Amino acid sequence: MVICLSSFGGVGDGQTLNTECIQRAIDQMAESGGGTLSIPSGIFVAGALFLKPGVNLWLESGAVLRCSSNPADFPRRRTRIEGHFEDSFNVALVNAEGCDGLTIRGEGTLDGAGEPIWDTFWRGVGHDPDFRNLDLDRARLCFIENCENVSIEGITFKDSQFWNLHLYNCRNVRVEKCRFEVPETYWKPPSTDGIDVDSCQDVTVRGCFFSITDDCVCLKGTKGPDALEDAGSPPVERVRISECEFHRGCGAVTCGSEATVVRDVVVENCRVNGIMPLARFKLRPDTPQHYSDIHFRNITMQAGEVIQIRGWSQYHDPKGKPEPQSSVHDIFLSDIRGAVYSFGEIMGNSMTDIHGLHLENIDLKARRAELRVSETIQDLSLRKVLINELPFGT
């Protein structure tokens, strides 16, 4: 059953607040056995919406579901954010919990209307050097938690105030042919992660486009010295990313900045056109992190770096405990071609065992033909690697 929002009095004039009528539509459809709520062409302003099991969302061509500019329309409550549960932080524009089989599809747009929020954030940073991400009321575009068999297809995620699509503790998720965008004219919208894969398994990201100012696909978990004991943060595993274009961002595919166990990841048949690293590994000194069995293959680059592995200390808190042991191993980069600024760096830290890095069949032009490697790195192999048409070795 497909029901149009117009049947519930939705007004797509870009000004009317539609939160109540959209939520009423969702609730009534759930009570009647479910169906698909269709958002027609128009700009529908809304605050936080909560999908229910059995209710799906379809955004028609020309449909825009836009965040209200009033932070009060996104109530504070306990929510998962930055690797833990915050007792009081804003919910998202579209929220779904326990909605197995959920689909969000169409040719329409989720619009965060983020620019005024970005301006407020940077004023806060300018006035207080200790200003944090969570010190400002702002909404993610979509937060999906504790769901299985989720499909998100065709949607444009635009101008998010914070993260775009946050998946937490989900399994069997497909994100296909979506776009994640912020204006190239705005120098640095803060924390506009494209997709945050937080403690999820069996996730496919295919045919998506990213032009943002933070990590495009970020594999996340929890943080802190006791992270491995956190039952609410299972490993990120069996992630497949393919046929994507990374146009702008801080990293095409990133492990961190909150992550504990990430394994069995394949990134293939992608293009990286922005000044960013293809593979970015953030190493927290306060968290036991274990990244393994990660493959990047058949990648075309006009980008910044191939690989970046280095420390990450933002907001770190060892809680008075010694630094835990971490590891990065069995990382494979192969069949990579194009041009980069530099090959990158593999630096690590004193408590991270880095070994088993394999680089093969790579042919790149580079402005700086160097790969910075720490002396502690073990088992780094380079086979058929050409930089500026010359064999490359460390």
Side-chain angles (χ1 to χ4, degrees):
M1 178 176 62
V2 178
I3 298 180
C4 183
L5 178 61
S6 302
S7 302
F8 291 87
V11 179
D13 61 1
Q15 297 181 355
T16 302
L17 187 66
N18 290 273
T19 314
E20 184 177 348
C21 74
I22 298 175
Q23 192 62 57
R24 184 171 68 253
I26 293 169
D27 294 346
Q28 289 186 15
M29 292 178 69
E31 292 172 1
S32 301
T36 298
L37 177 62
S38 176
I39 310 296
S41 180
I43 300 175
F44 296 86
V45 178
L49 302 169
F50 298 88
L51 296 175
K52 301 290 180 65
V55 178
N56 302 309
L57 198 59
W58 175 268
L59 277 72
E60 297 182 7
S61 177
V64 178
L65 189 56
R66 176 178 289 172
C67 283
S68 161
S69 59
N70 184 356
D73 291 325
F74 302 92
R76 282 178 165 263
R77 60 178 61 180
R78 179 175 170 82
T79 188
R80 173 79 170 196
I81 195 76
E82 292 193 344
H84 68 290
F85 285 92
E86 188 75 16
D87 287 333
S88 179
F89 190 68
N90 303 94
V91 294
L93 173 63
V94 176
N95 302 270
E97 181 176 7
C99 296
D100 293 351
L102 171 67
T103 67
I104 301 176
R105 294 177 177 170
E107 299 177 11
T109 298
L110 297 179
D111 182 354
E115 188 163 337
I117 304 298
W118 307 334
D119 290 342
T120 301
F121 178 88
W122 290 120
R123 284 196 296 270
V125 172
H127 293 147
D128 179 4
D130 295 323
F131 192 84
R132 302 179 309 128
N133 276 338
L134 305 185
D135 288 339
L136 175 69
D137 285 335
R138 50 183 177 152
R140 290 157 286 179
L141 271 178
C142 188
F143 178 41
I144 300 175
E145 58 180 322
N146 303 323
C147 296
E148 294 190 8
N149 303 319
V150 174
S151 178
I152 302 170
E153 184 175 352
I155 302 298
T156 294
F157 292 75
K158 175 180 180 292
D159 298 352
S160 184
Q161 300 173 17
F162 201 12
W163 299 348
N164 280 271
L165 173 58
H166 181 188
L167 307 169
Y168 167 64
N169 200 31
C170 294
R171 184 180 290 252
N172 293 324
V173 179
R174 298 185 67 86
V175 184
E176 298 187 90
K177 300 179 182 178
C178 292
R179 297 179 68 89
F180 300 85
E181 302 174 344
V182 296
E184 295 199 17
T185 54
Y186 195 104
W187 74 280
K188 186 69 166 68
S191 303
T192 56
D193 293 17
I195 305 174
D196 287 293
V197 180
D198 179 358
S199 307
C200 298
Q201 302 80 44
D202 303 296
V203 176
T204 297
V205 178
R206 186 176 69 86
C208 293
F209 174 86
F210 299 86
S211 182
I212 53 175
T213 53
D214 212 311
D215 296 316
C216 296
V217 179
C218 194
L219 309 179
K220 288 181 174 286
T222 188
K223 59 186 177 181
D226 300 320
L228 292 176
E229 301 169 19
D230 183 357
S233 301
V236 174
E237 54 190 349
R238 298 183 299 279
V239 177
R240 301 293 182 263
I241 301 165
S242 66
E243 302 167 48
C244 292
E245 180 175 350
F246 301 96
H247 177 71
R248 185 184 182 203
C250 293
V253 178
T254 298
C255 291
S257 48
E258 307 90 25
T260 307
V261 178
V262 178
R263 61 193 177 208
D264 191 0
V265 177
V266 176
V267 182
E268 60 185 349
N269 306 325
C270 293
R271 295 179 60 87
V272 185
N273 297 324
I275 305 303
M276 70 182 92
L278 162 64
R280 188 180 190 194
F281 297 80
K282 300 177 180 178
L283 304 178
R284 296 182 64 102
D286 62 351
T287 302
Q289 296 176 305
H290 301 283
Y291 304 150
S292 64
D293 192 17
I294 301 176
H295 301 251
F296 295 82
R297 61 196 183 208
N298 194 25
I299 308 293
T300 302
M301 302 188 67
Q302 295 288 329
E305 298 174 307
V306 176
I307 186 168
Q308 183 187 95
I309 301 178
R310 66 183 184 192
W312 179 265
S313 60
Q314 186 181 41
Y315 308 139
H316 80 285
D317 181 6
K319 302 183 185 303
K321 297 184 178 181
E323 291 185 9
Q325 185 69 45
S326 297
S327 66
V328 179
H329 64 92
D330 295 324
I331 311 298
F332 301 84
L333 294 94
S334 63
D335 300 296
I336 298 172
R337 57 201 175 276
V340 294
Y341 178 77
S342 74
F343 207 123
E345 60 180 332
I346 305 172
M347 300 306 295
N349 57 40
S350 61
M351 298 302 292
T352 302
D353 173 26
I354 302 178
H355 67 274
L357 274 62
H358 306 277
L359 289 71
E360 183 174 359
N361 292 334
I362 296 174
D363 187 353
L364 294 167
K365 304 290 185 183
R367 183 174 175 182
R368 294 173 55 189
E370 69 171 4
L371 175 63
R372 298 179 61 223
V373 180
S374 170
E375 295 179 355
T376 61
I377 309 304
Q378 302 178 37
D379 190 20
L380 171 64
S381 68
L382 296 94
R383 182 173 180 270
K384 297 183 180 179
V385 176
L386 296 177
I387 303 295
N388 299 330
E389 300 181 348
L390 297 174
F392 182 82
T394 59

